[in-house]
Amino acid sequence: MSPSTQLQPRPPRPASKLACMLCLALQWGFVPWAILSAALLGLLFAPVIRDSGLPVPVALLGGTAVTVALLMPLVAARRDLYEPLKGEPVSREQAPELWALIEETATAVGGRVPDTLLVDHLPSLSSQREGRRGSAHYTLLIGLQIFTPRTTGQFRALLASHLAGRATSLSLPHEIRVSVWHSYLNIVFTKYYLNPLNLLLWPYSALCFAASSRISAARVLVGDQAAARFAGGANTWSTITEISVLDRLGREFDETHLHPATHVGLLPLDVVDAFSRFLDAVPERRAALRAQPLSNRTGWRDPWPSLARRVAAVLDAPGGLWPGDETPALGLFADPQAIAATVDAMWTAPRTVRGSWEQAAARLEHRHHCDRAARSYQVIGNLLGTSRASLEGLLIEIDGGRRDALFLELDRRGFPAGGLASMVALAAMRSQEMRFEVRWGEGTGLATGDGRPFDPKEIIAPLFAAVPDPDAVRKALAERGVDLHRAAAD
C-alpha cells in the first residue's frame, strides 16, 4: 500500500467568512472609487479645454473622453484576468506517470484532477477554472523549468501545495472572489502601470492588497501543510527553499546567457535544456544559495507569505522520502526531449532568428572583441605610426625596455581596458585555429582545436610581470596555432 492510500485529507482551516466578506466589501468599493477618481480628473481637464476658447459643450465632451480613456485600462485588465491559459497540451500517452501523480496528489489533498494539462516555458505553476457548457473546466499549467531542476519528490510537494490551496478556495467561494480581485488589481498596477489614474487609485488599492494578501497567504500555508502531510516534510520544505534559489539562478542564466544571445539577434533553439546544463555547471553556487537564510519579507502586492514563514510552517512535519523521490522530475514525461523541443518553440524575442548556442557564442565573441580591438589598434597607430599598429609593434617596444613608458602613454591616449586581450582573441579568430564555446555559468569563450580553453588574458600575462617577457607571449601564441602577425590593424 502506497503512503497516499493511507492518508485521509484533513479539513482545511480557511480564513473566516466574515474576514472574506469584509475584504470583498473593500474590494467592491474599488469600482465606484475608480469611476469617481476618473470623473474628477476629467472635470479638472474640462476647464483647460474651455480656457483655450472652445465652447462649454466641447469642454465637457473632452472631459468625458478623458474619463473614459482613464477607465479603459481597468476594463482591459478585467479582460486579461479571464484570458485562457496558453501552453502545449500534454496527453496521458505523453506523460502517463505525470498524470498518475497528479490524480494521486489531487485525491490525497482534496484537490481536483485537471481536465486539461498544459506545459509552457516559464518557471511557474498555475490553474484556471472556466465555465464550459454549464460545467467548470479545470486547466492546470506547469512551466517546464519547474521540472528541470527538481526531483520527483520536490515536484510532488509543490504540486500538492498548489492543488491543496485551490481546494481550500473551493470550500469557501468567498475566498475565490477575494483571490480573483487580488489578481485583477495586480494586473492593473503591473501591466497598466502607466495609467495616470493609478496615482489616485494606489492608496485605496493598498488597503485592498493588505487585506486580500492575508487571506491568500493563509490559503498558501494551508496548502503547504497539506502537502507536507502527503509528500513528506523534507520534500515540502526543500522545494519551498528551492524557489528562492531558482529565482536567483534563473535571473543569472538570463543575464549571463539568454539575454546576451538575444541582444545580438539570435534566440537559441534549446533554452530549456540549456538551463539544465547551467544548473549542473554551478553546483557550488546552488548549494551556497540554499544555505543562505530565507527572507522574511514579502512585497505589498504578494498573495503569498514569505518563504521563511512557509518553511517554518512545515519544517517539523513528519514524513521522509518515497521510493523514486530522488529521480529527476523531468522523467515523469514519456519523452522529455520531445516535450522540451515543443516548449522551446514557445520562446519568442523580437528581431531575432533561431540558432544554436555555439552560433550565439560566435556572435557574442566577435562583438565583444572586434570593436575594442579596433579602438586599440587606432590608439597604437596614433602613438607608433600606422605601419606599427600591431601586437608585434608593442612587443618590439617592450623588447627595448620601454614597457612602462609605453603603457603609460597608451592609457593617456585612451587605450581601452582589455584591449590587448581583444587583440589576441581577434588574432585567434582570424587564424581559424579556435572554436567558440558556451561556458555555462560564465558566458562564452574560445577553445583551441583540441578543446583546451583559450584565455587571451593568460597569453598576455607575461607582459605585466615585474620583468616583462615578450618571447613568452610569442611562444604561447605559436603553441596554440595563432599567427602573431594577424594581431594587426586591418
Side-chain angles (χ1 to χ4, degrees), residues 28 59 92 123 161 165 180 202 213-214 216 234 253 271 301 353 355 388 417 469 472 489:
W28 287 335
R92 295 179 182 272
S161 176
V180 169
W202 181 85
S213 292
R214 290 179 177 273
S216 298
F253 171 76
V271 181
R301 293 198 306 255
V353 296
R388 299 177 62 192
D469 188 357

Side-chain angles (χ1 to χ4, degrees), residues 41 124 260 275 307 315 326 330 430 484:
L41 291 177
S124 58
F275 182 57
L307 294 178
L315 197 56
E326 292 299 319
L330 204 58
R430 292 171 176 173
L484 173 63

